């Protein structure tokens, strides 16, 4: 770890499931991927089904982060985005307190959504804290 970074602080926040639309989308994806994984394991065996299993987990993680990360028509109509709403609710207060925030995501497309939302905020500072 770089010496100029302060000690890591972990703050756990529970954001909820994001509403009925997001729960329904999650269940739809889970059900479809469950069947796809089962079919793949039946056809090729567990040892040769890792890619399909990882793809199923990826899609479920994407639904949890933000439905817009999924390239599905059903995801486009879901407006609940619990994690992003929670982050966007926290950022203005943290910036106002003079804190610096480093946001990580394994999805570059999630970072693009965060950047878009940050650009839409009127910050109380002389410039946007987004240095993306």
């Amino acid at each position: 770890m770089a010496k100029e970074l302060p000690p890591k602080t972990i703050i756990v926040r529970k954001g909820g499931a994001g509403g009925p639309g997001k729960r329904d989308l999650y269940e739809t994806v889970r059900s479809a991927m469950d069947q796809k994984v089962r079919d793949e394991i039946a056809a090729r065996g567990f040892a040769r089904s890792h890619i399909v299993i990882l793809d199923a987990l990826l899609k479920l993680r994407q639904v949890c982060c933000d439905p817009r990360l999924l390239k599905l028509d059903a995801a486009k109509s879901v407006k609940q985005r619990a994690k992003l709403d929670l982050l966007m609710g926290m950022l203005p207060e943290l910036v106002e307190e003079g804190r610096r925030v480093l946001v990580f995501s394994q999805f570059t497309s999630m970072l693009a959504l965060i950047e878009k939302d940050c650009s839409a905020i009127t910050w109380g500072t002389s410039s946007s804290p987004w240095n993306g």
Side-chain angles (χ1 to χ4, degrees), residues 43-117:
R44 301 185 58 174
F46 182 77
R48 293 188 166 187
S49 302
H50 290 104
I51 296 297
V52 173
I53 294 167
L54 291 174
D55 183 53
L57 292 172
L58 171 74
K59 285 180 173 50
L60 292 172
R61 288 178 52 234
Q62 287 174 321
V63 172
C64 289
C65 283
D66 193 302
R68 294 175 292 177
L69 298 178
L70 280 177
K71 306 301 181 222
L72 298 174
D73 288 336
K76 293 177 184 173
S77 64
V78 177
K79 303 300 179 204
Q80 294 92 4
R81 20 174 253 172
K83 286 187 177 184
L84 187 55
D85 289 341
L86 180 63
L87 175 66
M88 297 315 296
M90 293 170 57
L91 279 179
E93 182 180 336
L94 293 170
V95 170
E96 189 176 302
E97 292 173 358
R99 296 179 184 262
R100 297 171 65 190
V101 179
L102 183 59
V103 178
F104 288 94
S105 176
Q106 290 182 337
F107 303 114
T108 56
S109 49
M110 182 68 182
L111 293 173
L113 294 173
I114 294 168
E115 181 178 20
K116 181 180 174 187
D117 279 16

